């Protein structure tokens, strides 16, 4: 779409915002409440990939994000279309995968009145998203889309839902596109306490049987080379989670492959019997630890994670 300073529909504004975010593909199954979006896509440069089911579209967006490192985008209509996305959204949330989910909603005057194909998409997805938006004014769409992509792909990545009523899609506005994002309550980058780094160095110096336990955060943070250099510098064996597979070369002499209930015996023994467990970008999942009271119970555990809420959670 060409830039314009005339009033255009909210649906057109949303698609132009996707283009401005560099989106080239969208996984979208059409329906009545999202038809305005599909009409706007006809005039865009975005390729529409039609899944056979909305759930397939959500998982495809997640797969796209995992494979490319970029935000995946999926779209569905209101009601059953939107609810069919939920398993894929939950998957992206659990595995920290950045996706933006665009859903049509019934006209705003009908919200809360049990109208045809109405479901509370915001309420239903509340536990499985980083953030969600119900758009009530088309003029807010440029800011909301910009924020959604920033939130989805910064800090610990995850899904963001944008729910847009049909009358808001049809509302005409002269869009103003922000170039930057400023969210007062959202600060995804935590400063590093260098005294903690010194403590880790001292723990490595004192230990006899260290082990690195690496998760998907290594891949998300593009830190595979740094992990390899770290392991070689201190001659520490490395185990990974299923999400961390590929973060450390499995043909490396220090690789013990992955741990947990599907992992190797030697990888599990190394993590469970070490005296220093260095956990980088993993969440101590129950499939890895089993009962946490008996997991690495003689180890000093160092947990490094971009999401502070993960520290001591399990």
């Amino acid at each position: 779409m060409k830039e314009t300073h005339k009033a255009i529909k909210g649906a057109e504004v949303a698609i132009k915002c996707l283009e401005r975010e560099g989106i080239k593909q969208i996984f979208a199954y059409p329906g009545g409440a999202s038809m305005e979006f599909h009409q706007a896509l006809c005039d865009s440069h975005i390729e529409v990939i039609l899944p056979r089911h909305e759930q397939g579209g959500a998982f495809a967006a997640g797969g796209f994000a995992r494979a490319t490192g970029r935000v995946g985008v999926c779209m569905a209509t209101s009601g059953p279309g939107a609810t069919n996305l939920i398993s894929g959204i939950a998957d992206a949330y659990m595995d920290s995968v950045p996706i933006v989910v665009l859903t049509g909603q019934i006209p705003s005057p009908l919200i809360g009145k049990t109208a045809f194909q109405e479901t509370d998409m915001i309420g239903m997805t509340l536990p499985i998203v980083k953030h969600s938006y119900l758009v009530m004014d088309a003029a807010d769409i440029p800011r909301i889309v910009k924020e959604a992509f920033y939130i989805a792909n910064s800090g610990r990545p995850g899904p963001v839902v944008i729910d847009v009523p049909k009358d808001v899609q049809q509302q005409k506005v002269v869009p103003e596109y922000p170039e930057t994002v400023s969210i007062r309550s959202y600060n995804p980058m935590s400063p590093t306490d260098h005294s903690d780094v010194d403590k880790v160095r001292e723990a490595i110096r004192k230990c006899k049987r260290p082990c690195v336990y690496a998760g998907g955060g290594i891949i998300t943070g593009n830190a595979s080379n740094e992990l390899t250099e770290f392991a070689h510098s201190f001659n520490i064996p490395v185990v990974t989670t299923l999400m961390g597979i590929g973060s450390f070369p499995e043909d490396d002499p220090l690789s013990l492959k992955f741990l947990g209930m599907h992992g190797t015996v030697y990888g599990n023994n190394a993590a469970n019997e070490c005296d220093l467990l260095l956990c980088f970008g993993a969440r101590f999942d129950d499939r890895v630890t089993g009962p946490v009271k008996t997991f690495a119970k003689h180890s000093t555990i160092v947990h490094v994670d971009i999401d502070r809420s993960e520290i001591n959670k399990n």
Side-chain angles (χ1 to χ4, degrees), residues 262-283:
H262 301 297
T264 62
V265 172
Y266 44 86
N268 278 291
N269 286 342
N272 204 43
E273 298 175 13
C274 66
D275 61 354
L276 176 64
L277 185 63
L278 301 164
C279 177
F280 301 145
R283 64 176 185 257

Side-chain angles (χ1 to χ4, degrees), residues 115-195:
F116 176 68
Q117 290 196 343
E118 178 188 5
T119 55
D120 178 8
M121 188 59 175
I122 302 300
M124 294 184 75
T125 59
L126 189 62
I128 53 170
V129 295
K130 279 190 77 176
H131 197 56
S132 55
Y133 296 90
L134 175 60
V135 186
M136 301 302 284
D137 186 342
D140 293 333
I141 290 175
R143 173 187 58 81
I144 286 172
V145 173
K146 190 77 175 173
E147 288 182 3
F149 275 83
Y150 173 65
I151 293 170
N153 207 29
S154 58
R156 180 181 185 168
V160 177
V161 166
I162 306 175
D163 198 36
V164 190
K166 191 165 185 177
D167 59 314
V168 176
Q169 296 174 44
Q170 295 168 335
Q171 178 190 352
K172 287 194 172 184
V173 293
V174 178
E176 295 183 14
Y177 303 101
E179 297 298 329
T180 58
V181 175
S182 177
I183 305 173
R184 185 177 62 178
S185 59
Y186 180 62
N187 180 21
M189 299 305 294
S190 301
T192 300
D193 187 336
H194 291 284
S195 66

Side-chain angles (χ1 to χ4, degrees), residues 156 189-193 196 305-313:
R156 180 181 185 168
M189 299 305 294
S190 301
T192 300
D193 187 336
D196 286 342
D305 201 284
I306 198 168
D307 183 357
R308 285 184 177 271
S309 69
E310 282 296 336
I311 308 300
N312 288 324
K313 185 182 81 176

Side-chain angles (χ1 to χ4, degrees), residues 28 50 66 88 98 110 132 138 207 222 271 274 286 312:
L50 177 68
R66 292 170 193 263
L110 298 178
S132 55
C207 72
N222 293 317
C274 66
D286 63 283
N312 288 324

